[in-house]
Amino acid sequence: MAKVKKEPANSRKKYIIPTMKKVIICHCWGGKSEYCWYPKTKNELELLGFEVIVPSFASTDYPSLHEWQSTLQNIAPNPDENLFLIGHSLG
């Protein structure tokens, strides 16, 4: 039986994606950009070559659709096939 060589857990390869793809992670109700799994996911996606933005939305305890949409439009005014949105709960 052939042995499979395992890489150390902390060994990460950075993969380059030809066209820069952008990911926006929208936090949950009452959340913020540094909350729960967002920083780890941001780091993992950046290692894969993505540009990742985790904005802190205004009025997180009493969210306003208009304010959140405005934030997203400022970050990505011309969304295309290279933009991925990840929403958590309300996000």
Side-chain angles (χ1 to χ4, degrees):
M1 177 182 265
K3 291 186 179 182
V4 176
K5 182 181 174 186
K6 291 187 177 182
E7 293 185 29
N10 61 356
S11 166
R12 301 283 171 131
K13 294 180 182 176
K14 184 168 182 175
Y15 298 93
I16 304 299
I17 297 172
T19 302
M20 180 57 91
K21 300 199 182 275
K22 180 185 283 188
V23 175
I24 300 173
I25 300 174
C26 301
H27 63 69
C28 63
W29 185 306
K32 55 188 175 185
S33 60
E34 305 84 30
Y35 182 63
C36 67
W37 51 265
Y38 314 138
K40 182 177 180 182
T41 302
K42 178 181 188 297
N43 184 52
E44 292 290 322
L45 290 170
E46 286 173 340
L47 288 171
L48 293 172
F50 289 90
E51 174 188 356
V52 183
I53 300 169
V54 187
S56 288
F57 291 98
S59 307
T60 186
D61 290 326
Y62 299 97
S64 160
L65 178 60
H66 176 73
E67 288 178 348
W68 285 38
Q69 281 179 330
S70 178
T71 299
L72 287 173
Q73 287 172 340
N74 287 333
I75 295 169
N78 300 305
D80 61 16
E81 66 277 357
N82 294 310
L83 174 67
F84 298 89
L85 298 175
I86 299 175
H88 176 205
S89 185
L90 177 68

